[in-house]
Amino acid sequence: MAALLTIENLYAKGNGKEILKGVTLEIRKGEVQALLGPNASGKTALSQVILGNPKYKVTAGKILFKNKDITNFPPEKRVKLGLALTWQYPPSIKGVKLSQLLSKISTGQGFASTKSIGGGFWPENLLEREINVDFSGGEKKMSELLQILSLNPQLVIFDEIDSGLDIERIEKVVKVIKEKFIKKKVAILLITHWGDILKFLKPDFTNVMMDGKIICCAKDYKRVLDTIKKYGYEKCRKCPFLAGR
């Protein structure tokens, strides 16, 4: 199967510094891939470059999506093609209800109420509240998931969707991801720091990023997690469980 997203030897700068240093990655339709790495390894920068954040400048390499070179596409064009991203720290927007935002960005999945979405995942009054204003950590994640769902994407980048959540709330987030995205064969790139969420989602491939590069791509996420938990990320430089494809 041809790759849905292909990143070829990608270099990029942010704030005048080289942040991505030759990233190569392929994700196919319906595939779940994880991206782990220590702080400042380049994980979030990669997600922002894939979505075309103008704060980052690609200096070499390519980003291909659905066989199109989107390296120089603006963010809105990438989203219309089927790319989407959740934010680790989504902003609060006073004076705008979540339902109003969803009606603007929806690709045909406008939500009259959370009950109409089904699944019993969503707080009942979430749509009628101002976006992320006085939201709990779990409510912010559910708000992000609703926004992404309304875009009807083909590939979603979840940036630290598990950060700041306890196990109970992580399980709720995972249920939404499984039911609303994985079942529909939406490709997923799951960015996480420690990777506990991987125990619930069981990715097809687990990538480890350090110093702006992906240094390992392994099929056995459990061995990757065990190695990181026991020895830290420095052990990954030798990549003892490299599987590739």
Side-chain angles (χ1 to χ4, degrees), residues 35-44 160 192-194 208-213 215 228 232-234 236-237:
L35 180 64
L36 285 79
N39 290 330
S41 60
K43 304 187 302 296
T44 292
E160 303 277 4
T192 180
H193 181 67
W194 284 114
V208 177
M209 191 168 193
M210 295 185 71
D211 303 324
K213 297 180 180 180
I215 62 171
I228 293 169
Y233 278 103
E234 285 302 313
C236 294
R237 291 186 188 279

Side-chain angles (χ1 to χ4, degrees), residues 180-242:
K180 301 298 181 180
F181 298 98
I182 293 177
K183 268 191 178 181
K184 297 178 180 179
K185 301 297 182 182
V186 176
I188 290 172
L189 178 61
L190 183 70
I191 297 174
T192 180
H193 181 67
W194 284 114
D196 287 334
I197 193 172
L198 305 190
K199 298 172 185 177
F200 301 100
L201 287 176
K202 298 177 176 59
D204 299 294
F205 293 93
T206 298
N207 304 277
V208 177
M209 191 168 193
M210 295 185 71
D211 303 324
K213 297 180 180 180
I214 292 176
I215 62 171
C216 180
C217 176
K219 291 182 180 179
D220 191 340
Y221 76 92
K222 291 181 181 178
R223 297 181 77 180
V224 174
L225 287 182
D226 288 347
T227 299
I228 293 169
K229 299 276 187 189
K230 187 173 182 179
Y231 301 106
Y233 278 103
E234 285 302 313
K235 183 75 170 180
C236 294
R237 291 186 188 279
K238 297 180 181 179
C239 200
F241 308 123
L242 181 65

Side-chain angles (χ1 to χ4, degrees), residues 128-210:
E128 296 311 310
R129 292 169 63 186
E130 295 174 307
I131 299 168
N132 295 328
V133 176
D134 297 324
F135 279 22
S136 68
E139 288 171 339
K140 287 181 180 179
K141 302 302 183 182
M142 287 299 177
S143 172
E144 287 286 286
L145 288 168
L146 276 172
Q147 292 171 52
I148 294 299
L149 185 60
S150 72
L151 294 170
N152 196 26
Q154 295 179 45
L155 187 149
V156 181
I157 303 170
F158 290 111
D159 188 3
E160 303 277 4
I161 194 73
D162 55 337
S163 66
L165 300 183
D166 57 27
I167 290 297
E168 181 182 354
R169 285 167 179 79
I170 288 176
E171 288 178 342
K172 288 183 178 179
V173 165
V174 166
K175 285 180 180 178
V176 175
I177 293 174
K178 286 181 175 179
E179 182 71 25
K180 301 298 181 180
F181 298 98
I182 293 177
K183 268 191 178 181
K184 297 178 180 179
K185 301 297 182 182
V186 176
I188 290 172
L189 178 61
L190 183 70
I191 297 174
T192 180
H193 181 67
W194 284 114
D196 287 334
I197 193 172
L198 305 190
K199 298 172 185 177
F200 301 100
L201 287 176
K202 298 177 176 59
D204 299 294
F205 293 93
T206 298
N207 304 277
V208 177
M209 191 168 193
M210 295 185 71

Side-chain angles (χ1 to χ4, degrees), residues 29 33 35 37 46 50 64 78 98 117 126 130 138 149 160 176 180:
K29 179 180 178 180
Q33 292 205 29
L35 180 64
L46 176 60
I50 293 172
L64 305 174
R78 302 183 195 211
L98 180 57
I117 308 167
L126 196 65
E130 295 174 307
L149 185 60
E160 303 277 4
V176 175
K180 301 298 181 180

